[in-house]
Structure formats: C-alpha cells, structure tokens
Amino acid sequence: MPELAEARQRLAEAQSVAVLTGAGISAESGIPTFRGAAGLWNHYRAEDLATPEAFARDPRLVWEWYNWRRETIAKAAPNPAHLALVKLERAKPSFTLITQNVDGLHNLAGSARVLKLHGDIWRMHCTDCGSNWPDRRVPLPKLPPHCACGGLARPGVVWFGEPLPRGMMNEAEHAVASSEVFLVIGTSATVYPAAGLVPFAKQNGAVVIEINLEPTPFSESVDFALEGPAGELLPQLL
Ligand code: BJW
Ligand code: ZN
C-alpha cells in the first residue's frame, strides 16, 4: 500500500488522536516560518528578539518586531490544513490539538480546544502586576505598550529560556500518551520541550505520522514521514 494510503487507514481507525503543529502549518496562509529557506531567523537573530534578555535590553525593538508580525498575521486566513484539523476534532471521540504557534489561526478556523504551548501573540502580559489581557489592535498605537497599572506590557508568548504555561506540557503529554495516532505537522521539531513529544509518542506506542516539506530529526524514527505541503497532504489524509 502506498505510504499515504496506509497512514490514512491508521488515522481512520484511531479513536484517540493527538496533533502537534508548528509554523509550517501556517506557511500556506502567508505567515513566515522561523527556520528553513524562507525562515525569519535567516534575517533576525532569535537572541535579539525572542528572549527575556532582549526585551529587557530594548523593549521597543522587540515590540516593533512583534507589531510587524501581528500585521502579517492579522491579514492571514486559515488554510485547508487548519480546516482539516477542525473536521478531525469533530470526528474523533478523543482529540487534542497542541500547537507551538502563537498566530491564533487554529481558533479562527474553528478548533474548539487548542493547547498553545508558546502562548498567543494577541495577548498582552504586564511585566509589573502580572495581569494579562487580549489586544487585537493592529498596529498598536504606541510602542512599547503599557498596562493600566503603568507597567511595561510584553507579548503573551514564550521566549527562549522561559517556562511554558503552567500545567500545559503535562496536559499535552497526557494526551500524547493516550493517543493511538500522533500527527506532527509543519514543525522543525528542534525546540524543546515541544519536540520531545515526538519520541515520547513513539515510546508510548502511538503511530506517528509526520507531515513536512523536508526531513526533521525524527523523520527516520516515525512511522510515516509524508513530504509535502500540509495544506495539500492533510486534507488527503482525512
Ligand atoms: C512546512 C510547510 C508546509 C514549511 N507544509 N511543512 C533540550 C535540549 C536543548 C535545548 C533545550 C532543551 N530543552 C529546552 C531547551 C532550550 C530551548 C530550546 O529548545 N532550544 C533549542 C533551539 C535547542 N527551549 C526553551 O527555552 C523553552 N523553554 C524551556 O525549556 O523552559 C525551561 C524552563 C523551566 C523552568 C523555568 C525556566 C525555564 C521555550 C521555547 C520557546 C520557543 N519560542 C519561540 C518563539 C515564540 C514566540 C513567537 O512566535 O515570537 O517559539 S521560538 C520559535 O520556534 C517559536 C516556535 O513555536 C518554535 C518552533 O518552531 P517551529 O514551529 O517548529 O517552526 P520552524 O520554523 O522551526 O519549522 C517550520 C517547519 O515547517 C520546517 O520544518 C519546514 O520544513 C516546515 N514547513 N512550510 C508543511 N507548507
Ligand atoms: Zn500591570
């Protein structure tokens, strides 16, 4: 049986499914990925923009970058891959969508429950009083933005060296451990702890199906490594 057809059958038979998505699932919506040929990190240094140290050094610079990314994301719409995952959620008795993306496109597509491991670009967090709130203004009127308490606001995302939202990784691991099929879509699988979910799924007996334009560190060890755009392959898989 061809690889896609066999993967399709395994997915169809599964009652419990977990999914991990990365920047590649939103690439066809026009949102740049971080790594790879057209990745953001070819033009920007992660350590200058996506660390707490960078923000402490120059909050305005970091906010300019996030303001620009918010503009790009605001123009983007979910693509057939996001929509396919909404269908899958409705079709399976047990389903968990775990994303590393901060763009909110899974919610916009209609996914009911999304574990956002790296936060949400549409939320603000006060570095002073700790409160957090949604803010969808594009562009933001004043950089850097501030909280009602006067404190400096930061994007509600997870930077390198920061812990993931409390309890979320546990919830993700629990879902992965109890899944029959684990789909890994559009992630370079190089950022931890999220990437660790891939070997964790295998260790716990899940059939792992990867969809990516290119091989990842786990392509050799997963059950099916499907190469191609998620917006085309995922609808074919369902
Ligand atoms: C397509 C496609 C198409 C394209 N169809 N496919 C273990 C070992 C070594 C290091 C560590 C470790 N554990 C932790 C670390 C440190 C660090 C880390 O992982 N470093 C590595 C780089 C080595 N991790 C952390 O710091 C994490 N925190 C942590 O561990 O905390 C511990 C702690 C505990 C207690 C107290 C304090 C600390 C946090 C990581 C946060 C990552 N943040 C970012 C920025 C988020 C905000 C923002 O968006 O601005 O998250 S970095 C960036 O990478 C972003 C992404 O979510 C993340 C992953 O990227 P992703 O999604 O995989 O995208 P790409 O671009 O890498 O790949 C795209 C893929 O799509 C490619 O493969 C393409 O081929 C493919 N593709 N088009 C299908 N159409
Ligand atoms: Zn505040």
Side-chain angles (χ1 to χ4, degrees):
M1 207 190 286
E3 209 184 15
L4 181 78
E6 199 183 335
R8 188 186 151 93
Q9 190 179 336
R10 301 304 289 268
L11 181 60
E13 287 163 1
Q15 300 290 305
S16 61
V17 174
V19 183
L20 173 68
T21 65
I25 197 171
S26 296
E28 290 158 80
S29 295
I31 302 174
T33 60
F34 295 92
R35 299 162 190 86
L40 290 168
W41 295 152
N42 295 321
H43 306 281
Y44 307 93
R45 277 155 39 101
E47 53 273 36
D48 288 344
L49 296 165
T51 63
E53 293 77 18
F55 188 70
R57 208 164 39 232
D58 195 343
R60 200 189 147 85
L61 175 78
V62 171
W63 263 116
E64 275 166 6
W65 191 62
Y66 277 93
N67 206 25
W68 168 74
R69 287 188 47 216
R70 285 164 62 107
E71 284 180 36
T72 309
I73 293 169
K75 289 183 209 134
N79 67 54
H82 296 103
L83 298 172
L85 291 180
V86 180
K87 269 199 189 164
L88 195 59
E89 177 177 41
R90 293 180 184 154
K92 296 296 177 187
S94 167
F95 180 89
T96 305
L97 177 52
I98 306 157
T99 189
Q100 299 168 85
N101 299 346
V102 300
D103 57 31
L105 287 191
H106 287 304
N107 298 107
L108 209 54
S111 287
R113 202 170 71 91
V114 187
L115 297 181
K116 295 179 189 167
L117 294 182
H118 295 162
D120 186 335
I121 204 165
W122 301 114
R123 293 194 74 85
M124 302 285 202
H125 179 85
C126 177
T127 58
D128 230 344
C129 72
S131 65
N132 70 88
W133 65 96
D135 185 333
R136 287 200 156 259
R137 290 174 299 169
V138 167
L140 286 162
K142 195 172 161 284
L143 296 184
H146 284 82
C147 173
C149 83
L152 177 63
R154 58 163 283 177
V157 302
V158 180
W159 286 322
F160 285 112
E162 293 185 322
L164 273 51
R166 191 187 300 272
M168 208 177 271
M169 201 52 208
N170 262 340
E171 216 178 317
E173 279 173 354
H174 186 78
V176 169
S178 59
S179 68
E180 291 159 59
V181 168
F182 184 47
L183 280 170
V184 185
I185 307 166
T187 174
S188 61
T190 52
V191 173
Y192 286 79
L197 290 172
V198 185
F200 182 75
K202 279 273 6 138
Q203 284 152 21
N204 283 276
V207 172
V208 181
I209 307 173
E210 178 184 73
I211 297 180
N212 202 304
L213 288 183
E214 51 190 52
T216 75
F218 298 110
S219 299
E220 298 271 314
S221 56
V222 300
D223 298 279
F224 301 94
L226 308 176
E227 258 183 54
E232 285 174 28
L233 286 184
L234 198 51
Q236 287 175 31
L237 197 60
L238 304 192

